[in-house]
Amino acid sequence: MYNSRITGLGKYLPETVVTNDDLSKMMDTNDAWIQERTGIKERRWIKQGSDDTSAIMGAKASEIAIERAGIDKDDIDFIVFATMTPDYYFPGCGVQIQDLLGLKNVGAIDIRNQCSGFIYALSVADQFIKTGMYKNVLVVGAEYHSNGLDKSTRGRGVTVIFGDGAGACIVSREEDNSKGILSTHLHSEGKYADKLIVEAPSIRHWVPEIMEAGEDDLSYFPHMDGTFVFKHAVVRFSEVIMEGLMKNGLQKDDIDMLIPHQANLRIAQFIQKKFGLSDDQVFNNIMKYGNTTAASVIIALTEAWEEGKVKEGDNVVLAAFGSGFTWGSAIIKW
Ligand code: UT7
């Protein structure tokens, strides 16, 4: 059994900043409500007319991760791409990355696990490295939400939360057994699928059906029962972090850095309090980027590392919860 380690990190955020005041010009919302309920001050949205998409942003983040890992792109053995906003219904973004980066004809899969997508993707890469099948796996999380949101007052409960962006990392075989990804923990509860969902277009609700329903049909915009999701999130986040700590014989006090999925600053603060962590033991950047779903954990991890907040020897905990429901954690000795 081999060990696996994150050897390179990269992120890409579109340039256009959309503030809460900008949103209040599109819909009935305001800066005070958004900041108080979510902690978000601004987010990035891809500018209309820009070439950026989930795959293209993912490729830009990947180039940085590959360079920082100090490997050649020909050393990449496999691609795992997590997104809930793929460029196309099919094929997935993973194959686009293979082409955009000019990689060898390596395998590529897409992970459809929304906010937990990056944790799931990391877990897949981790297994491929640990079994010895691959030496370097490119893991990408990228989202292009802004083109698919309801920007009228109707959609304000969801639209103010989501942002665009991408992150990527290289997971590599590590000879030193004292560091790397210690374990990952994945869960799902499909009976709550309708609590956070985009129903159409889908094979069940194809284009003619949407067009016939006309203006009143909202099925092609994200729907979220926010309060219900919030209540489940705080419970599942806590459970899955504890599960990861226990698996590795660690205590709450052993956490050096917790990087939660950036869903809502109030969720992160609840978890911080529950685990008795100080402000410098939890990394949040939702204030700047909003919720970038499958990209959020990897963007946050990259930024924490760039700011010197993730150091060699640290116990780093990643955790996420979201649509599905799905949730997961990863425990890493950096
Ligand atoms: O990332 C995947 C997982 N996602 C999450 O974990 C998200 C979890 N949920 C949440 O973060 C929160 O539930 C939200 C931020 C989405 C909503 O916050 P809330 O405190 O649960 O508010 P609410 O949905 O109960 O809405 C309260 C009020 C409502 O008005 P009334 O019925 O009390 O008159 C809403 O219509 O706030 C109104 N409202 C808004 N007002 C101004 C909803 N959205 C907005 C808005 N601006 N953008």
Side-chain angles (χ1 to χ4, degrees), residues 28-30 33 37-38 115 156-157 160-161 196 224 226-227 229-230 233 261 263-264 266-267 291 321-322:
D28 180 12
T29 189
N30 57 78
W33 190 96
R37 306 280 177 141
T38 70
C115 303
R156 66 181 181 174
V160 301
I161 296 169
L196 182 43
M224 174 164 71
T227 314
V229 176
F230 191 105
H261 162 53
N264 186 317
R266 290 192 294 147
I267 295 178
N291 178 348
F321 174 89

Side-chain angles (χ1 to χ4, degrees), residues 156-193:
R156 66 181 181 174
V158 172
T159 301
V160 301
I161 296 169
F162 289 121
D164 302 335
C169 69
I170 302 292
V171 181
S172 305
R173 185 183 291 182
E174 169 63 53
E175 306 297 337
D176 180 352
N177 275 336
S178 67
K179 56 184 169 185
I181 300 171
L182 302 180
S183 62
T184 55
H185 307 270
L186 308 175
H187 295 278
S188 71
E189 193 171 28
K191 71 177 170 186
Y192 298 129

Side-chain angles (χ1 to χ4, degrees), residues 189 228-243 267 270-271 274-275 320-321 327:
E189 193 171 28
F228 189 90
V229 176
F230 191 105
K231 284 182 186 156
H232 282 255
V234 290
V235 173
R236 297 309 193 185
F237 261 109
S238 304
E239 281 177 6
V240 82
I241 293 169
M242 275 315 295
E243 181 185 349
I267 295 178
F270 180 92
I271 304 300
K274 186 152 187 200
F275 281 79
F321 174 89
W327 61 102

